[in-house]
């Protein structure tokens, strides 16, 4: 379970967003290490105290119009001050007209200059690019288990090898839920509170069942049986049955698992022949959702009891 930090090249952005390369064709291998982009504004007027030099720099219509209005000498100074810091690349969202001066600066400093081809606002492009970089550059680990989406709730199924995690996933698929990953689950930390579960590229869509073999769930059950990723909301550990280990308390004590500093609510479900474990997993997913809405069945039950005793 080793933490891995990702990197993205400028060439990755060119391919992903169909960007036109105006300068720096030989520098497309430049690495991007920061998940958020920057739109320079104060930097054009000489304020560099908080300039995030390692971020992708976005130039929209406002920035390009400002540069166009400057004299040749002023423009040279303003742009020169920024390219001096060698950001990984510039992306222009206002078309490629009149960018000769900017192109020349980027050629001289060996900085890729890219232009969007699609018609969209700068804010729309930034939103898409930020989301892409956050996922791509998120710290990640790989764990042994199964990841499912049950009623829209992302669930990790963990347990010792052979306990029946994949078989449980197959049953849940038959009940209309979706497989995300089997055997190897890749967890990405998108924020201090957000954990994304996905697959590694090799195991995507595959489910391994003992006595049966490898299944492609999309080929067998259609696209509805699979999804690429899900936000992890519950960590469920499947364990062997232990007599007298379960209790019937109205409200279970809260337990959490922690991955890369992100806490995830955790419960344990014991396995026994005849026990409807898939149904319990569905109940756990629905109960988690209700809790997010501020509802607790135990609290409602106790309030009824208190109301009755006061009468």
């Amino acid at each position: 379970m080793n933490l891995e930090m990702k990197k993205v090249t400028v060439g990755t952005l060119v391919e992903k967003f169909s960007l036109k390369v105006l300068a720096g064709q030989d520098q497309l291998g430049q690495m991007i290490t920061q998940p958020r982009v920057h739109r320079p504004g104060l930097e054009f007027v000489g304020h560099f105290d908080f300039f995030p030099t390692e971020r992708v720099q976005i130039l929209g219509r406002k920035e390009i119009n400002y540069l166009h209005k400057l004299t040749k000498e002023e423009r040279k100074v303003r742009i020169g001050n920024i390219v001096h810091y060698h950001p990984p690349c510039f992306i222009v969202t206002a078309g490629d007209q009149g960018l000769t001066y900017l192109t020349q600066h980027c050629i001289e400093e060996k900085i890729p200059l890219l232009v969007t081809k699609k018609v969209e606002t700068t804010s729309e492009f930034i939103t898409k690019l930020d989301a892409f970089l956050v996922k791509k550059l998120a710290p990640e680990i790989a764990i042994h288990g199964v990841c499912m989406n049950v009623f829209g709730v992302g669930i990790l199924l963990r347990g010792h090898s052979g306990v029946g995690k994949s078989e449980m996933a197959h049953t849940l698929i038959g009940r209309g839920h979706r497989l995300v990953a089997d055997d190897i689950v890749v967890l990405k930390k998108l924020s201090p509170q957000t954990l994304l579960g996905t697959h590694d590229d090799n195991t995507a869509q595959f489910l391994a069942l003992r006595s049966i073999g490898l299944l492609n769930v999309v080929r067998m059950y259609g696209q509805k049986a699979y999804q690429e990723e899900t936000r992890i909301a519950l960590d469920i550990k499947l364990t062997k049955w232990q007599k007298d280990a379960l209790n019937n308390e109205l409200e279970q004590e809260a337990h959490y698992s922690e991955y890369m500093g992100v806490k995830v609510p955790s419960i344990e479900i014991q396995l026994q022949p005849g026990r409807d474990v898939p149904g319990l997993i569905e109940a756990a997913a629905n109960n988690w959702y209700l809790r997010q809405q501020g509802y607790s069945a135990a609290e409602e039950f106790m309030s009824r009891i208190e109301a009755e005793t006061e009468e």
Side-chain angles (χ1 to χ4, degrees):
M1 201 165 67
N2 297 320
L3 181 63
E4 184 178 354
M5 302 298 291
K6 294 292 186 178
K7 293 183 179 179
V8 175
T9 67
V10 174
T12 302
L13 301 188
V14 172
E15 182 178 350
K16 172 66 178 179
F17 296 98
S18 303
L19 303 175
K20 181 179 179 180
V21 181
L22 295 186
Q25 185 70 46
D26 296 335
Q27 282 77 47
L28 297 184
Q30 175 77 23
M31 304 303 298
I32 299 169
T33 59
Q34 297 298 314
R36 299 289 182 183
V37 302
H38 178 65
R39 192 172 182 178
L42 290 175
E43 292 78 15
F44 278 129
V45 294
H47 295 279
F48 292 93
D49 291 345
F50 303 100
F51 184 32
T53 58
E54 296 181 351
R55 295 186 184 181
V56 173
Q57 304 297 312
I58 305 294
L59 303 178
R61 191 167 301 281
K62 288 189 295 185
E63 291 78 16
I64 295 301
N65 286 344
Y66 169 77
L67 292 174
H68 285 347
K69 292 178 182 179
L70 298 176
T71 65
K72 183 177 180 180
E73 291 73 20
E74 287 176 327
R75 203 157 48 217
K76 183 177 181 180
V77 172
R78 302 300 187 195
I79 298 173
N81 287 340
I82 290 182
V83 299
H84 170 74
Y85 287 92
H86 289 91
C89 68
F90 290 97
I91 301 179
V92 178
T93 62
D96 58 1
Q97 299 299 314
L99 297 181
T100 304
Y101 58 87
L102 183 57
T103 302
Q104 187 59 39
H105 274 282
C106 289
I107 290 175
E108 292 174 359
E109 296 293 336
K110 297 182 178 180
I111 301 173
L113 175 60
L114 317 172
V115 179
T116 58
K117 295 180 181 179
K118 294 183 178 180
V119 178
E120 57 188 339
T121 66
T122 303
S123 59
E124 288 173 339
F125 179 74
I126 288 176
T127 298
K128 293 197 302 185
L129 181 54
D130 270 344
F132 174 76
L133 289 176
V134 165
K135 286 185 181 181
K136 281 293 184 179
L137 295 174
E140 67 178 45
I141 56 174
I143 66 169
H144 176 66
V146 173
C147 184
M148 297 288 300
N149 186 281
V150 178
F151 294 133
V153 178
I155 291 177
L156 286 176
L157 297 179
R158 296 187 301 113
H160 293 301
S161 180
V163 78
K165 299 182 295 296
S166 297
E167 289 86 347
M168 202 64 59
H170 185 257
T171 301
L172 288 168
I173 291 170
R175 295 169 80 140
H177 307 297
R178 295 182 173 185
L179 174 72
V180 176
D182 179 45
D183 191 36
I184 299 174
V185 180
V186 177
L187 299 178
K188 293 176 175 283
K189 181 182 179 180
L190 301 188
S191 77
Q193 298 82 31
T194 307
L195 204 63
L196 191 73
T198 186
H199 54 78
D200 73 351
D201 292 335
N202 294 327
T203 61
Q205 302 181 1
F206 288 117
L207 182 67
L209 297 178
R210 282 179 170 80
S211 304
I212 303 297
L214 206 60
L215 306 181
N216 185 311
V217 299
V218 173
R219 291 292 185 94
M220 291 189 69
Y221 304 113
Q223 191 61 48
K224 61 178 174 47
Y226 172 78
Q227 71 180 57
E228 287 286 327
E229 58 193 29
T230 188
R231 178 178 176 177
I232 301 300
L234 277 175
D235 185 23
I236 298 179
K237 186 175 182 180
L238 302 178
T239 61
K240 294 182 179 179
W241 180 267
Q242 298 178 36
K243 188 178 180 181
D244 300 326
L246 298 180
N247 56 60
N248 292 313
E249 295 178 3
L250 294 180
E251 192 76 16
Q252 296 295 316
E253 180 183 353
H255 295 279
Y256 297 89
S257 300
E258 189 169 316
Y259 300 97
M260 297 178 288
V262 180
K263 289 186 175 182
V264 179
S266 175
I267 64 174
E268 177 182 336
I269 296 180
Q270 294 187 13
L271 306 178
Q272 187 183 48
R275 198 173 192 215
D276 182 18
V277 176
L280 293 176
I281 294 173
E282 291 177 328
N286 281 326
N287 197 46
W288 176 89
Y289 180 79
L290 288 174
R291 284 179 178 275
Q292 305 314 298
Q293 311 306 309
Y295 173 79
S296 169
E299 290 179 4
E300 182 183 2
F301 177 77
M302 292 306 299
S303 66
R304 291 182 184 181
I305 297 299
E306 291 173 2
E308 184 174 329
T309 57
E310 291 175 358
E311 292 179 356

